[in-house]
Amino acid sequence: MSAFENYAREARNIEHEIQTKGVILGIDWNDPEQLRDIARQALDCHLGAVDCEPDDPRDRARLELFGLIQLMLTVMKESADDQIHTHGGPLWKALARALWAEHRARQAD
């Protein structure tokens, strides 16, 4: 991405999709433990590591959420590389806090 990318719009679009997956998965965005669990799963996820039933909408939503988390982190990194501070709304921030908490906990181990 370049400095001409509309990072704010990208953040809004990603957050909207995160919200959609959250509805399917029944995520309580005010539950830090649930969000830490999601962050843990997302950070541990790699190709072939997750059992997924192709016809199960919850499995599909979970994998899509993990992809959106990766995209969220990529947008933040690339915008920071362009000297732009990018973040989404409350869901984005709640998820980002959980990801940072999980990352810090792993660094301490």
Side-chain angles (χ1 to χ4, degrees):
M1 291 186 191
S2 72
F4 299 106
E5 186 72 29
N6 188 332
Y7 295 113
R9 183 180 62 226
E10 289 295 319
R12 283 191 306 274
N13 291 341
I14 293 167
E15 184 168 27
H16 174 77
E17 290 301 316
I18 288 171
Q19 180 179 23
T20 300
K21 305 313 172 210
V23 169
I24 295 167
L25 296 169
I27 296 173
D28 177 355
W29 297 102
N30 296 309
D31 181 346
E33 289 303 314
Q34 184 183 27
L35 295 178
R36 276 294 291 276
D37 186 50
I38 291 167
R40 198 171 299 113
Q41 290 177 42
L43 292 173
D44 289 341
C45 184
H46 60 278
L47 190 58
V50 178
D51 291 328
C52 179
E53 292 294 324
D55 296 332
D56 184 341
R58 289 180 53 82
D59 276 353
R60 182 180 174 121
R62 183 167 51 110
L63 288 176
E64 289 176 358
L65 176 62
F66 295 165
L68 288 164
I69 289 170
Q70 180 62 47
L71 187 56
M72 178 180 107
L73 295 172
T74 300
V75 167
M76 287 192 299
K77 180 194 177 306
E78 290 182 357
S79 67
D81 290 346
D82 286 339
Q83 306 302 310
I84 299 169
H85 178 74
T86 299
H87 59 81
L91 303 184
W92 175 296
K93 291 175 186 172
L95 194 50
R97 279 191 297 275
L99 288 162
W100 274 114
E102 186 59 27
H103 174 74
R104 282 192 299 270
R106 290 174 183 219
Q107 296 298 314
D109 290 339

